[in-house]
Amino acid sequence: MPAPDLSPLPPALSTVPLRLRVLHLEDSELDHELMLAHLRRGGIDPDALRVESEAGYRAALAEPWDVVVSDYNLPGFSGLRALEILRDSRLLLPFILVSGEIGEQVAVQAMLTGANDYLLKENLARLVPALLHAIEGTEALRAKQEADLALGQSEQRLRELAQHLQANIEAERTAIAREIHDDVGGSLTALKFDLAWIERHARDPAVAQRAQGALETVTLAIESSQRIMHNLRPAILEQGLIAALQWMTQRFEKRNGVVTVFRTSRDELPPLPAGVPLAAYRTAQEALTNISKHAYATRVEVDLTVAGRVLSLEVSDNGRGLIQEDLAKARSFGIRGLRERAAQVGGWVDLSSGPGGTTIILSVPLEAGGDTGPGEFDGLQDDPDDPTSWDMLR
């Protein structure tokens, strides 16, 4: 048995003893008293409990402690087992392993497992500094965990706020589109009929010519109104996501002169959960808008697939690609908005970019059997005021 440590103990850290709750796993009452003596001489007033069985240790963990000091060899279990029990309990407590014969390999294993420190019983002069250092480190870790938790909660609240705002934006867009249809559309239609009547019944060629010019102006106004309404609320989605994407890509190619290819793995999609068609449509819309503004691409490919109960929409171009500065712009909300929109329907957005172009992939897991619950456009399909009835203006 090694000789007791007779080296000078560290001086008291302050005139007022630091009171600490110490759980001591030790089968020797003499070693327990020796540890208490070292703590007191180091300026600590220990509120200690000695346990020597696994059952006693488990029961003691229900109480609050500042630190666990454990012998390596215990009746029926070991200090490493005690450390494992502490880790499984998810209690954040500093753990110091003390032994009279611990080897280097065991000490390394203990540190890798989560022990804060290990000491030899013949060198307990290090006990108080090691204990205080372990407590300080654990407090810092606890503070970091609390900060991480608070940050996570804050991010969750921010995400919920963004989703709420996005839902409000879509509702407002729908309301504005309906007002344009009801107020502006109705007036333009009536004006078009009146101008057509004037043109047919005008006896003065100058009047007829003036009416014809006015008719052309009204027609342009109707087309502009249709375009604005569509941007606000893509009524084409009521014909299905495939039809909407086909229409979007064809219009993009026509307007921008960029070869645009749309492919899909299915002729018809299964019933999609509420919100998914609009999320996919807006993703494609945002991606194509960015391509037209920044990519300098000559070819765009849009692929829509449903495989393994996952809907995937991939938009890729052969443009100049995005640089890190583009993604780091403080006011660059396009990609962030797409990710928030995807999260609303349980999906996510992956972005890859390089000198050969950019690819955006929206992935949305679909529930088994498909959720056919109400979507954004349900309840409007039989509405006589639905903007799809703009065909009457043609």
Side-chain angles (χ1 to χ4, degrees), residues 293-354:
K293 289 182 177 178
H294 311 296
Y296 301 102
T298 59
R299 182 179 176 85
V300 176
E301 296 181 354
V302 179
D303 292 277
L304 178 68
T305 62
V306 176
R309 300 303 304 168
V310 176
L311 180 142
S312 296
L313 173 69
E314 178 176 335
V315 182
S316 58
D317 67 72
N318 64 348
R320 67 178 181 87
L322 296 171
I323 58 177
Q324 193 60 36
E325 287 74 9
D326 293 332
L327 300 175
K329 288 180 181 177
R331 299 188 62 81
S332 179
F333 298 111
I335 299 300
R336 299 175 203 173
L338 291 181
R339 286 180 169 143
E340 291 299 332
R341 187 186 291 278
Q344 277 186 286
V345 293
W348 61 90
V349 169
D350 295 309
L351 171 68
S352 61
S353 187

Side-chain angles (χ1 to χ4, degrees), residues 81-240:
R81 173 59 181 160
L83 182 57
E84 182 181 351
I85 293 172
L86 179 63
R87 185 185 58 194
D88 293 344
S89 71
R90 299 187 180 277
L91 293 174
L92 190 56
L93 280 176
F95 187 98
I96 296 177
L97 190 63
V98 179
S99 175
E101 53 186 14
I102 189 171
E104 181 178 355
Q105 184 176 358
V106 174
V108 171
Q109 181 182 357
M111 296 298 289
L112 292 177
T113 309
N116 294 81
D117 209 338
Y118 67 94
L119 304 172
L120 294 176
K121 286 187 176 179
E122 61 187 21
N123 187 25
L124 286 182
R126 282 190 56 233
L127 177 61
V128 170
L131 185 147
L132 295 177
H133 180 71
I135 292 176
E136 181 182 2
T138 303
E139 287 298 325
L141 181 59
R142 185 178 290 117
K144 181 179 182 304
Q145 289 183 347
E146 292 174 352
D148 290 344
L149 177 62
L151 179 61
Q153 292 173 339
S154 176
E155 290 177 343
Q156 177 61 27
R157 288 195 292 271
L158 183 60
R159 191 174 298 112
E160 292 172 353
L161 175 61
Q163 293 175 353
H164 175 71
L165 292 177
Q166 192 63 53
N168 284 347
I169 289 173
E170 291 298 339
E172 187 66 21
R173 283 177 167 176
T174 300
I176 293 173
R178 192 185 300 277
E179 290 181 5
I180 291 176
H181 171 267
D182 292 347
D183 298 338
V184 180
S187 299
L188 289 176
T189 302
L191 182 58
K192 185 176 182 179
F193 288 155
D194 288 343
L195 289 172
W197 185 90
I198 293 174
E199 182 189 25
R200 289 195 303 271
H201 295 82
R203 298 180 181 280
D204 187 339
V207 173
Q209 184 177 5
R210 194 66 174 264
Q212 177 61 36
L215 270 174
E216 293 175 357
T217 301
V218 170
T219 300
L220 291 176
I222 290 175
E223 292 175 354
S224 297
S225 299
Q226 288 177 315
R227 185 178 66 255
I228 293 171
M229 279 202 322
H230 179 82
N231 290 333
L232 290 170
R233 178 177 177 269
I236 186 69
L237 267 179
E238 294 172 8
Q239 300 177 26

